[in-house]
Amino acid sequence: MTTERVDPPGLSPPAGFSHAVVASGSRVVFLAGQTALDGDGKVTGATLPEQFEKALTNLLAALAATGGTPADLARVTVYATDVAAYRAHAPELGRLWRKLAGRHYPAMAVVEVVRLWDEEALVELDGFAVLP
């Protein structure tokens, strides 16, 4: 697979995401929404950063099971129950992203939602990847 991250000069400089990702490969993997569920189906972590770390770990585990890596991610959507809290924790969330997924940023969006499937969940991530 090849990816090209495109950040046009007329747009605001991206921080922790790419404006566009051109991906070519032979397999597209659609990743279901992942929250901070543990193996028993219980939400773990009381804080947004704790839940974000677990949700991202779960998303990357699903991706790895298909043979993909974080560099293969083309798009990730973050659903947060409190965007103001997400923004307040952005530096820490960025550090967690880099620790788990590196600096291969996909095209991303953060969307505030009233609630998620599990009432205790504060954040959910889904996306898709393009594999060779």
Side-chain angles (χ1 to χ4, degrees):
M1 180 198 79
T2 62
T3 57
E4 175 190 2
R5 276 101 169 105
V6 180
D7 296 307
L11 298 179
S12 174
F17 69 96
S18 295
H19 283 290
V21 177
V22 179
S24 61
S26 61
R27 293 191 314 147
V28 176
V29 177
F30 294 91
L31 299 161
Q34 299 293 325
T35 60
L37 292 179
D38 64 13
D40 294 324
K42 306 284 188 211
V43 173
T44 63
T47 68
L48 179 61
E50 289 170 338
Q51 288 197 16
F52 180 87
E53 182 173 20
K54 180 62 174 165
L56 181 56
T57 297
N58 290 345
L59 186 80
L60 295 176
L63 177 59
T66 70
T69 69
D72 298 322
L73 287 169
R75 171 85 174 148
V76 170
T77 303
V78 177
Y79 304 93
T81 59
D82 185 344
V83 168
Y86 190 93
R87 288 178 61 100
H89 290 287
E92 184 176 359
L93 300 177
R95 284 189 296 276
L96 290 168
W97 179 280
R98 289 185 298 277
K99 178 178 99 172
L100 297 171
R103 293 186 178 271
H104 299 284
Y105 299 115
M108 294 182 74
V110 177
V111 178
E112 186 170 78
V113 295
V114 174
R115 66 162 285 204
L116 296 164
W117 183 262
D118 295 298
E119 288 187 41
E120 304 86 6
L122 303 173
V123 65
E124 182 171 334
L125 288 80
D126 74 7
F128 70 90
V130 181
L131 282 60

